[in-house]
Amino acid sequence: MKRLNGRPLTALLAVMLMLTAFLSACSTQEAGSAGAGDGQEAAPAGTKKLLLLKKKEGSGDPVLISHLEKLGYLVMDMSENEFTAQAAKDYAVIYVSDSVNAARVDSGLKDVTAGIVYAKPQLAEAAGLTEPLSYGHLTGEKSVRLVQPKHPLAAGLSGDPAVYAASGRMGYAAPGKEAAVIAAAPGDEKKALVFAYEKGAKGAGGQTLPGRRVFFYMPTGEEENQSEDGWKLLDAAIVWAAQNPKP
């Protein structure tokens, strides 16, 4: 019994300390994985999650995903067939690629409260952001005209910046009266290339919009053609939409 005051007691204390450290580590690991059981990657604190709605094999989407990840977003891509409006509830912002088949997208998308950036003119119309049958694509374009250079979506640009490295296609539409038109076609300002609605604004059809909405000109396949100024405009659109005001 006297030996309890010697080496055997020291060894027992060491074992107890090791066991305590092991149990603490297990507890920390379990806490770190909490909330990730929905099959989605858990984002670090402060990271904003972006949902990229796209065609299953969208040709330019990998370029876009890579850019958005470098911008600091946790990007989760989802095909038009998989998407439901319910799936959008955990995201700060949704980017709707021009690659999607508009007829296959859940009609509930327009009612989502998260900020949305539309690069698909048909879906922008379905969401009430444009006048009926007032959209299309321009060809052989390289520059845009900044209509409201002081707006946050103008990204500090002004004049007629070249948003493409070479001439390409651009989507356009005619928004409602409460939209802020940021950029338009240089030769026809009625063809808006970038425009935005604040949360609670009235859409082209008079309906109240449940979140920030942005229309952006970039068709699928033009991602690699984007210039530095073009990416600045897209970044500003994503950031502004993601800052969707709370109810």
Side-chain angles (χ1 to χ4, degrees), residues 6-136:
R7 295 180 61 187
L9 180 57
T10 302
L12 179 60
L13 289 174
V15 170
M16 292 178 65
L17 288 173
M18 291 175 62
L19 181 60
T20 300
F22 174 76
L23 292 174
S24 177
C26 289
S27 176
T28 301
Q29 183 176 5
E30 289 176 0
S33 61
D38 57 359
Q40 298 179 350
E41 184 178 349
T47 300
K48 289 188 175 180
K49 295 172 65 177
L50 182 149
L51 177 61
L52 173 61
L53 182 56
K54 67 183 188 68
K55 184 178 178 180
K56 189 173 183 180
E57 299 297 338
S59 61
D61 292 322
V63 176
L64 180 59
I65 290 173
S66 177
H67 177 81
L68 294 172
E69 288 177 339
K70 290 178 182 178
L71 194 61
Y73 287 92
L74 177 64
V75 181
M76 309 295 288
D77 61 308
M78 188 176 295
S79 73
E80 58 205 13
N81 293 328
E82 300 171 318
F83 173 78
T84 63
Q86 180 66 19
K89 64 182 179 64
D90 294 327
Y91 293 89
V93 60
I94 302 169
Y95 182 90
V96 183
S97 168
D98 182 58
S99 67
V100 300
N101 183 330
R104 295 180 179 176
V105 176
D106 183 355
S107 61
L109 173 64
K110 66 180 183 299
D111 300 318
V112 169
T113 57
I116 303 178
V117 177
Y118 288 92
K120 186 74 172 182
Q122 294 94 323
L123 284 177
E125 181 197 40
L129 308 187
T130 76
E131 299 293 342
L133 302 176
S134 65
Y135 60 85

Side-chain angles (χ1 to χ4, degrees), residues 186-220:
D188 188 354
E189 292 192 6
K190 292 183 179 180
K191 294 180 177 178
L193 303 176
V194 181
F195 59 85
Y197 290 89
E198 184 56 270
K199 180 177 182 177
K202 300 292 185 182
Q207 76 282 26
T208 301
L209 300 174
R212 282 184 168 179
R213 301 291 186 258
V214 180
F215 175 82
F216 197 80
Y217 62 80
M218 188 173 66
T220 298

Side-chain angles (χ1 to χ4, degrees), residues 151-237:
H151 195 284
L153 270 77
L157 303 176
S158 62
D160 295 2
V163 295
Y164 284 164
S167 296
R169 297 172 67 244
M170 294 184 186
Y172 73 86
K177 294 180 180 180
E178 294 196 17
V181 177
I182 312 303
D188 188 354
E189 292 192 6
K190 292 183 179 180
K191 294 180 177 178
L193 303 176
V194 181
F195 59 85
Y197 290 89
E198 184 56 270
K199 180 177 182 177
K202 300 292 185 182
Q207 76 282 26
T208 301
L209 300 174
R212 282 184 168 179
R213 301 291 186 258
V214 180
F215 175 82
F216 197 80
Y217 62 80
M218 188 173 66
T220 298
E222 294 289 359
E223 292 86 353
E224 293 184 351
N225 193 24
Q226 281 269 96
S227 69
E228 182 178 349
D229 284 346
W231 284 120
K232 285 180 180 179
L233 286 178
L234 178 61
D235 294 351

